[in-house]
Amino acid sequence: MTQLKIYPSERPTAFKPLGFGPTIAGLVEEIVELYRADSIPWVVGYSGGKDSTATLQLVWAALTQVPPTERTKPVYVISTDTLVENPIVAAWVGRSLDRMGEAAAAAGLPLTSHRLTPDPSESFWTTLIGRGYPAPRAKFRWCTDRLKINPSNRFINRVVKASGEAIVVLGTRKAESHARSKAMERYESKRVRDKLSPNGKLPNSYVYSPIEAWTNDDVWTFLMQRKNPWGFPNKDLLTMYQGASADGECPLVIDATTPSCGDSRFGCWVCTMVEQDKSMTAMIQNDVEKEWMLPLLQLRNELDVRGENGKRNDKHLRDFRKMNGSLQVFNDDIVHGPYAQSARETWLRRVLEAQRHIRLNGPEHSDTIELITLPELREIRRLWVVEKHEIEDSLPGIYEEVLGVPFPDGRLDDGAAFGREEVDVLRELCGDDVLHFELTRELLDLERQHSSMARRAGLFKALEHSLRRGSYENKAEAQATALRRRDLIEGLRDDDGIDGALSFAPEPPLDPAAEQSA
């Protein structure tokens, strides 16, 4: 087993001025004073990694020194499960939360643990498979807000609403990165109370970072010398880090300045923000008993679609129109929108296949692992059928095909006039003209949706939008139309100083004769 590295004493350390023991004692005393200073409840971010574990242990130690009669305000420990966490880490955090809740109650501490998850309408798979958002990338990092920021901020906002204010205790450290150091220093300059920085995103909440000056080595030194109070040995945590060759953790995220998970960090197994998931790769390579996670790594790599030049290129999987049907061009090329129906159905199959593999080949208790939950599947199904007008309702069939059991829900809409057989006939009539099929299917469903209304308000507007969106014969025609409009707008901009983004609402292509006369 890899041994914990011992570094020369001249390396930077927060313990040097006073020594390890006095420094920890002083920090615990500081936490006690902050806790007793007011009635504002605390929210402690816990990810199961080294930094948040060290922070929580310090808070726990401070609470034990507060007289029982003065433990009057609650301490909420929150952990955000994105539902796509590394399964090893997710299991660790889940067990740890259960254990700390029991241990705190037994010790008479006002500390409770809370596992937070994204709303099913905002989850990773609902967004990618349901809505068709392409896998996250540096310039389109849609995952952080939905999976991490929103769940934690909703909880903190509830605390603020109930109590007026909240103090958020985080394991953030300046040594994590230059950007993190600059962000922390910026908020330090705005402090209205000692040690409490304003939360830039959440009104009436403050951030306290007790280990902000610690180095990576300081964190491990503390964890190896101070016993975990809720019964989860820190040596096991070190072993998990060593097995993943990781040097960081995926922290509680409450703002977009927090580094994304991935690379050497424990984070989401689907993360495509980096070229390779080093931690999961190392876990599989270092331990034959973790080979059951290989389908997850393979699926993650498939999501990160790249061309022969190594650059990301998933245009062949995506619609040439944006989500609202508009066209957008950049450098004379059309900017592609969401995943097409065939790609979304493929991703659903791949996730369910990976889930089936893990349940059959994983360790004990893996037969209950859900890579994609039933609430997510229900929301994906609703998005496909109701919002995208994919009335053939293919999700139940894919579910049963892959897992071998019927989808637990019945028909989504008993009033639907068209079933799979009718849609198959329509598809056959349209032949290879996919755009014609999709337009006809959508028009039929819009008529059906409005047929039961006493006043069919909005029908003609919806039909007009669909006709405009589906008016192109193919991608090439749509691109030519978008480029033509761009040139017209740029001409107007040059003449009149008009400024605006080059995104165009869906309109029928110009008739060549009319264009010439114009």
Side-chain angles (χ1 to χ4, degrees):
M1 178 184 294
T2 305
Q3 298 297 315
L4 181 66
K5 295 179 180 179
I6 305 298
Y7 296 99
S9 58
E10 61 266 19
R11 287 179 67 92
T13 173
F15 304 145
K16 189 173 183 179
L18 300 176
F20 177 79
T23 299
I24 298 303
L27 189 51
V28 170
E29 183 178 350
E30 172 185 293
I31 297 172
V32 170
E33 291 178 357
L34 281 173
Y35 178 84
R36 300 171 67 179
D38 51 51
S39 59
I40 303 174
W42 284 16
V43 179
V44 182
Y46 175 73
S47 70
K50 66 183 192 309
D51 295 341
S52 60
T53 298
T55 300
L56 182 54
Q57 283 195 203
L58 289 168
V59 171
W60 193 293
L63 290 176
T64 61
Q65 295 189 15
V66 176
T69 56
E70 297 182 23
R71 300 171 187 167
T72 54
K73 66 181 184 182
V75 175
Y76 306 103
V77 177
I78 63 173
S79 181
T80 304
D81 183 352
T82 64
L83 300 179
V84 283
E85 300 289 331
N86 180 307
I88 301 296
V89 180
W92 169 277
V93 174
R95 294 194 303 271
S96 183
L97 289 172
D98 292 340
R99 186 76 63 84
M100 74 175 61
E102 297 169 357
L109 302 181
L111 183 150
T112 54
S113 59
H114 305 265
R115 173 180 172 266
L116 312 180
T117 59
D119 188 274
S121 65
E122 295 184 326
S123 76
F124 183 86
W125 295 124
T126 297
T127 306
L128 187 140
I129 297 177
R131 292 186 172 83
Y133 278 39
R137 59 201 67 191
K139 294 183 179 180
F140 190 42
R141 185 182 162 188
W142 52 262
C143 50
T144 305
D145 282 353
R146 289 173 170 81
L147 308 187
K148 288 184 169 294
I149 295 177
N150 292 348
S152 58
N153 284 3
R154 277 194 291 266
F155 187 95
I156 296 169
N157 279 329
R158 287 198 297 268
V159 174
V160 170
K161 185 176 181 180
S163 305
E165 295 177 295
I167 294 175
V168 183
V169 186
L170 301 176
T172 50
R173 298 180 295 110
K174 294 180 180 179
E176 289 179 59
S177 67
H178 179 72
R180 169 58 58 182
S181 177
K182 288 295 184 182
M184 294 178 71
E185 289 172 358
R186 184 170 67 253
Y187 284 113
E188 279 180 25
S189 64
K190 301 178 181 179
R191 285 178 175 172
V192 294
R193 286 182 53 185
D194 188 37
K195 301 297 182 180
L196 299 182
S197 299
N199 190 325
K201 299 294 182 180
L202 296 174
N204 297 334
S205 66
Y206 311 91
V207 175
Y208 173 47
S209 306
I211 64 170
E212 61 183 5
W214 286 19
T215 66
N216 193 61
D217 300 337
D218 292 339
V219 176
W220 283 120
T221 298
F222 172 76
L223 292 175
M224 292 302 102
Q225 295 195 33
R226 293 299 171 93
K227 184 179 179 181
N228 184 293
W230 56 88
F232 255 50
N234 290 333
K235 288 185 178 180
D236 291 348
L237 178 62
L238 174 61
T239 299
M240 186 166 63
Y241 268 80
Q242 290 170 335
S245 298
D247 58 4
E249 67 175 290
C250 180
L252 175 82
V253 180
I254 61 172
D255 62 65
T257 65
T258 305
S260 64
C261 303
D263 195 24
S264 61
R265 299 175 180 269
F266 291 131
C268 303
W269 64 267
V270 293
C271 183
T272 52
M273 295 295 293
V274 292
E275 292 187 7
Q276 182 184 14
D277 185 342
K278 296 181 180 179
S279 63
M280 180 172 283
T281 300
M283 281 185 174
I284 295 171
Q285 291 176 343
N286 295 342
D287 189 348
V288 68
E289 293 184 358
K290 292 186 175 63
E291 288 185 355
W292 58 271
M293 292 195 299
L294 186 58
L296 303 187
L297 186 60
Q298 292 171 335
L299 177 53
R300 179 259 164 220
N301 292 338
E302 290 175 20
L303 285 169
D304 192 19
V305 183
R306 296 181 182 269
E308 294 181 356
N309 58 1
K311 294 183 178 180
R312 175 170 285 176
N313 186 359
D314 57 3
K315 291 181 180 178
H316 60 289
L317 300 176
R318 297 163 60 186
D319 197 327
F320 61 82
R321 297 157 296 193
K322 306 299 284 185
M323 192 77 74
N324 62 358
S326 65
L327 302 177
Q328 187 175 0
V329 290
F330 180 75
N331 288 341
D332 291 339
D333 193 12
I334 199 161
V335 179
H336 286 64
Y339 286 131
Q341 179 179 356
S342 58
R344 288 183 276 106
E345 291 178 347
T346 296
W347 292 135
L348 177 60
R349 283 193 179 89
R350 295 291 291 112
V351 175
L352 293 174
E353 287 168 356
Q355 177 172 295
R356 181 188 63 193
H357 175 91
I358 288 176
R359 289 185 171 186
L360 293 175
N361 302 285
E364 187 179 4
H365 305 307
S366 62
D367 57 336
T368 59
I369 288 180
E370 286 186 320
L371 297 184
I372 184 168
T373 66
L374 186 57
E376 289 177 287
L377 290 168
R378 286 171 173 150
E379 178 61 12
I380 290 170
R381 187 187 187 191
R382 187 195 68 80
L383 286 167
W384 285 5
V385 175
V386 177
E387 296 193 13
K388 294 185 178 294
H389 307 286
E390 295 165 2
I391 54 179
E392 59 268 43
D393 193 13
S394 60
L395 186 145
I398 295 172
Y399 183 93
E400 184 169 0
E401 171 192 330
V402 176
L403 298 184
V405 295
F407 190 68
D409 295 350
R411 188 162 178 164
L412 189 64
D413 185 357
D414 291 332
F418 297 93
R420 176 175 293 274
E421 293 182 359
E422 289 82 1
V423 174
D424 287 343
V425 171
L426 176 61
R427 194 189 304 270
E428 183 179 350
L429 291 172
C430 293
D432 296 331
D433 193 340
V434 177
L435 295 179
H436 185 199
F437 163 74
E438 291 177 347
L439 173 60
T440 306
R441 180 183 62 181
E442 183 171 331
L443 294 173
L444 289 170
D445 191 47
L446 285 171
E447 167 64 23
R448 182 199 64 80
Q449 288 182 0
H450 288 78
S451 63
S452 59
M453 297 181 180
R455 294 181 65 255
R456 304 174 70 179
L459 172 60
F460 292 118
K461 185 176 181 179
L463 291 175
E464 180 183 12
H465 180 271
S466 295
L467 287 168
R468 291 181 180 275
R469 183 178 185 276
S471 61
Y472 310 105
E473 291 289 337
N474 49 48
K475 172 188 170 183
E477 183 186 63
Q479 182 167 338
T481 303
L483 289 173
R484 189 164 54 244
R485 291 185 202 149
R486 182 201 62 181
D487 294 340
L488 289 171
I489 290 177
E490 287 185 344
L492 291 172
R493 178 184 296 167
D494 293 338
D495 294 339
D496 302 324
I498 297 175
D499 190 18
L502 299 180
S503 181
F504 313 105
E507 295 180 2
L510 291 175
D511 178 79
E515 186 177 17
Q516 289 178 4
S517 63

